[in-house]
Amino acid sequence: MHEMSIAAAVVDQVAEAAREAGADGVRAVRLQVGELAGVVPDALAFCFELACADTVVAGAELVTETVPARARCGGCDTEWAVGMPPDLTCPHCASGQVALLSGRELRILSAEWADHSAIVREG
């Protein structure tokens, strides 16, 4: 289950940011997760709770935002929702010259400290 390694990495990064900010605790962590990232949201939430134990992040709410997978055809420039399972053939011209535009994201968007201030780490 790679969700545990993802959760541990998120907790480590948020805990480090909290220490740097002098925060006593973390209320919430917001993640962006692409639908093609191979992450099971319920498993990630469970692992996040375990990874938070005995850290400054303990008790924090994990908020995940799913990013739909989208692609663009290199032949005709059509854009479409890839879906699950992914359809990487252009629905307009049937070309396989496809660029994935979104859907693989896995990033920390922000963390809210216990005093309600927040650090935004987008990008």
Side-chain angles (χ1 to χ4, degrees), residues 53-81:
D54 299 323
T55 72
V56 70
V57 189
E61 175 187 12
L62 178 65
V63 179
T64 57
E65 295 179 7
T66 302
V67 179
R70 294 201 52 82
R72 178 182 299 126
C73 178
C76 71
D77 222 25
T78 297
E79 285 188 26
W80 72 96

Short mmCIF file of all heavy atoms in Angstrom, two decimals, residues 53-81:
data_model
loop_
_atom_site.label_atom_id
_atom_site.label_comp_id
_atom_site.label_asym_id
_atom_site.label_seq_id
_atom_site.Cartn_x
_atom_site.Cartn_y
_atom_site.Cartn_z
N ALA A 53 0.12 10.20 14.11
CA ALA A 53 0.23 9.86 15.54
C ALA A 53 1.56 10.36 16.11
O ALA A 53 2.62 10.21 15.49
CB ALA A 53 0.10 8.36 15.73
N ASP A 54 1.47 10.99 17.26
CA ASP A 54 2.64 11.48 17.99
C ASP A 54 3.44 12.54 17.22
O ASP A 54 4.65 12.65 17.38
CB ASP A 54 3.56 10.33 18.40
CG ASP A 54 2.86 9.33 19.32
OD1 ASP A 54 2.06 9.77 20.17
OD2 ASP A 54 3.11 8.12 19.16
N THR A 55 2.76 13.28 16.35
CA THR A 55 3.41 14.39 15.65
C THR A 55 2.59 15.65 15.88
O THR A 55 1.46 15.59 16.38
CB THR A 55 3.51 14.15 14.12
OG1 THR A 55 2.20 14.29 13.54
CG2 THR A 55 4.09 12.79 13.79
N VAL A 56 3.10 16.78 15.47
CA VAL A 56 2.38 18.04 15.56
C VAL A 56 1.15 18.04 14.65
O VAL A 56 0.24 18.86 14.80
CB VAL A 56 3.33 19.23 15.25
CG1 VAL A 56 3.71 19.24 13.78
CG2 VAL A 56 2.74 20.55 15.67
N VAL A 57 1.09 17.09 13.72
CA VAL A 57 -0.01 16.99 12.78
C VAL A 57 -1.17 16.13 13.32
O VAL A 57 -2.25 16.09 12.74
CB VAL A 57 0.49 16.45 11.42
CG1 VAL A 57 -0.57 16.53 10.34
CG2 VAL A 57 1.74 17.20 10.96
N ALA A 58 -0.96 15.49 14.46
CA ALA A 58 -1.99 14.61 15.05
C ALA A 58 -3.32 15.33 15.18
O ALA A 58 -3.38 16.46 15.64
CB ALA A 58 -1.53 14.09 16.40
N GLY A 59 -4.38 14.68 14.72
CA GLY A 59 -5.72 15.24 14.80
C GLY A 59 -6.11 16.14 13.65
O GLY A 59 -7.25 16.60 13.58
N ALA A 60 -5.19 16.37 12.73
CA ALA A 60 -5.49 17.26 11.59
C ALA A 60 -6.47 16.58 10.64
O ALA A 60 -6.45 15.37 10.43
CB ALA A 60 -4.21 17.61 10.84
N GLU A 61 -7.32 17.40 10.06
CA GLU A 61 -8.25 16.92 9.03
C GLU A 61 -7.51 16.88 7.71
O GLU A 61 -6.80 17.82 7.35
CB GLU A 61 -9.44 17.88 8.93
CG GLU A 61 -10.40 17.53 7.83
CD GLU A 61 -11.48 18.59 7.62
OE1 GLU A 61 -11.39 19.70 8.18
OE2 GLU A 61 -12.42 18.28 6.87
N LEU A 62 -7.69 15.80 6.96
CA LEU A 62 -7.13 15.69 5.62
C LEU A 62 -8.23 16.00 4.62
O LEU A 62 -9.27 15.34 4.60
CB LEU A 62 -6.58 14.29 5.35
CG LEU A 62 -6.00 14.07 3.96
CD1 LEU A 62 -4.76 14.94 3.74
CD2 LEU A 62 -5.65 12.60 3.76
N VAL A 63 -8.03 17.03 3.81
CA VAL A 63 -9.00 17.43 2.79
C VAL A 63 -8.35 17.17 1.44
O VAL A 63 -7.28 17.72 1.14
CB VAL A 63 -9.36 18.92 2.92
CG1 VAL A 63 -10.36 19.33 1.85
CG2 VAL A 63 -9.90 19.23 4.32
N THR A 64 -8.98 16.33 0.63
CA THR A 64 -8.42 16.05 -0.68
C THR A 64 -9.31 16.62 -1.77
O THR A 64 -10.54 16.55 -1.68
CB THR A 64 -8.24 14.53 -0.92
OG1 THR A 64 -9.48 13.87 -0.77
CG2 THR A 64 -7.22 13.94 0.03
N GLU A 65 -8.67 17.20 -2.78
CA GLU A 65 -9.36 17.72 -3.95
C GLU A 65 -8.95 16.85 -5.13
O GLU A 65 -7.77 16.76 -5.46
CB GLU A 65 -8.94 19.16 -4.23
CG GLU A 65 -9.34 20.13 -3.16
CD GLU A 65 -8.88 21.55 -3.46
OE1 GLU A 65 -8.36 21.81 -4.57
OE2 GLU A 65 -9.03 22.39 -2.58
N THR A 66 -9.92 16.21 -5.76
CA THR A 66 -9.63 15.36 -6.90
C THR A 66 -9.52 16.20 -8.17
O THR A 66 -10.35 17.07 -8.43
CB THR A 66 -10.74 14.31 -7.08
OG1 THR A 66 -10.84 13.55 -5.87
CG2 THR A 66 -10.45 13.39 -8.24
N VAL A 67 -8.47 15.95 -8.93
CA VAL A 67 -8.25 16.64 -10.20
C VAL A 67 -8.61 15.67 -11.32
O VAL A 67 -8.00 14.61 -11.46
CB VAL A 67 -6.78 17.09 -10.36
CG1 VAL A 67 -6.58 17.79 -11.70
CG2 VAL A 67 -6.38 18.00 -9.20
N PRO A 68 -9.63 16.02 -12.12
CA PRO A 68 -10.00 15.15 -13.23
C PRO A 68 -8.88 15.04 -14.26
O PRO A 68 -8.15 16.00 -14.50
CB PRO A 68 -11.21 15.82 -13.86
CG PRO A 68 -11.60 16.94 -12.94
CD PRO A 68 -10.45 17.22 -12.05
N ALA A 69 -8.77 13.87 -14.86
CA ALA A 69 -7.78 13.68 -15.92
C ALA A 69 -8.31 14.25 -17.23
O ALA A 69 -9.44 13.99 -17.63
CB ALA A 69 -7.48 12.19 -16.08
N ARG A 70 -7.48 15.06 -17.89
CA ARG A 70 -7.83 15.65 -19.18
C ARG A 70 -6.65 15.45 -20.12
O ARG A 70 -5.50 15.44 -19.70
CB ARG A 70 -8.15 17.14 -19.04
CG ARG A 70 -9.41 17.36 -18.20
CD ARG A 70 -10.06 18.70 -18.42
NE ARG A 70 -10.35 19.08 -19.77
CZ ARG A 70 -11.42 18.68 -20.49
NH1 ARG A 70 -12.29 17.87 -19.96
NH2 ARG A 70 -11.60 19.12 -21.72
N ALA A 71 -6.97 15.32 -21.40
CA ALA A 71 -5.93 15.12 -22.41
C ALA A 71 -6.21 16.01 -23.62
O ALA A 71 -7.32 16.50 -23.80
CB ALA A 71 -5.90 13.66 -22.84
N ARG A 72 -5.17 16.21 -24.43
CA ARG A 72 -5.29 16.98 -25.67
C ARG A 72 -4.66 16.16 -26.79
O ARG A 72 -3.57 15.61 -26.65
CB ARG A 72 -4.57 18.31 -25.57
CG ARG A 72 -4.64 19.11 -26.89
CD ARG A 72 -3.88 20.43 -26.87
NE ARG A 72 -4.41 21.31 -25.86
CZ ARG A 72 -3.67 21.89 -24.90
NH1 ARG A 72 -2.38 21.67 -24.82
NH2 ARG A 72 -4.22 22.69 -24.02
N CYS A 73 -5.35 16.15 -27.91
CA CYS A 73 -4.87 15.45 -29.10
C CYS A 73 -3.81 16.28 -29.80
O CYS A 73 -4.02 17.46 -30.05
CB CYS A 73 -6.04 15.18 -30.04
SG CYS A 73 -5.54 14.37 -31.57
N GLY A 74 -2.70 15.65 -30.13
CA GLY A 74 -1.64 16.33 -30.87
C GLY A 74 -1.97 16.50 -32.34
O GLY A 74 -1.38 17.33 -33.02
N GLY A 75 -2.94 15.73 -32.82
CA GLY A 75 -3.32 15.81 -34.23
C GLY A 75 -4.34 16.89 -34.53
O GLY A 75 -4.18 17.67 -35.46
N CYS A 76 -5.41 16.93 -33.73
CA CYS A 76 -6.50 17.87 -34.04
C CYS A 76 -6.76 18.88 -32.92
O CYS A 76 -7.64 19.71 -33.04
CB CYS A 76 -7.78 17.10 -34.34
SG CYS A 76 -8.53 16.30 -32.90
N ASP A 77 -6.00 18.82 -31.84
CA ASP A 77 -6.08 19.78 -30.73
C ASP A 77 -7.36 19.65 -29.88
O ASP A 77 -7.67 20.53 -29.10
CB ASP A 77 -5.92 21.21 -31.24
CG ASP A 77 -5.03 22.03 -30.32
OD1 ASP A 77 -4.19 21.44 -29.62
OD2 ASP A 77 -5.20 23.26 -30.30
N THR A 78 -8.10 18.57 -30.03
CA THR A 78 -9.29 18.33 -29.21
C THR A 78 -8.87 18.04 -27.78
O THR A 78 -7.88 17.33 -27.55
CB THR A 78 -10.10 17.13 -29.77
OG1 THR A 78 -10.54 17.46 -31.07
CG2 THR A 78 -11.29 16.78 -28.90
N GLU A 79 -9.61 18.57 -26.81
CA GLU A 79 -9.40 18.25 -25.40
C GLU A 79 -10.59 17.47 -24.89
O GLU A 79 -11.72 17.71 -25.31
CB GLU A 79 -9.25 19.53 -24.57
CG GLU A 79 -7.92 20.22 -24.73
CD GLU A 79 -7.73 21.37 -23.74
OE1 GLU A 79 -8.35 21.34 -22.65
OE2 GLU A 79 -6.98 22.28 -24.07
N TRP A 80 -10.33 16.50 -23.97
CA TRP A 80 -11.42 15.70 -23.41
C TRP A 80 -11.06 15.17 -22.04
O TRP A 80 -9.90 15.13 -21.66
CB TRP A 80 -11.79 14.54 -24.35
CG TRP A 80 -10.79 13.43 -24.43
CD1 TRP A 80 -10.81 12.26 -23.74
CD2 TRP A 80 -9.62 13.38 -25.24
NE1 TRP A 80 -9.72 11.49 -24.06
CE2 TRP A 80 -8.98 12.15 -25.00
CE3 TRP A 80 -9.05 14.27 -26.16
CZ2 TRP A 80 -7.79 11.78 -25.61
CZ3 TRP A 80 -7.86 13.89 -26.78
CH2 TRP A 80 -7.25 12.67 -26.51
N ALA A 81 -12.11 14.79 -21.30
CA ALA A 81 -11.95 14.13 -20.01
C ALA A 81 -11.56 12.68 -20.27
O ALA A 81 -12.25 11.97 -21.00
CB ALA A 81 -13.23 14.21 -19.20
#
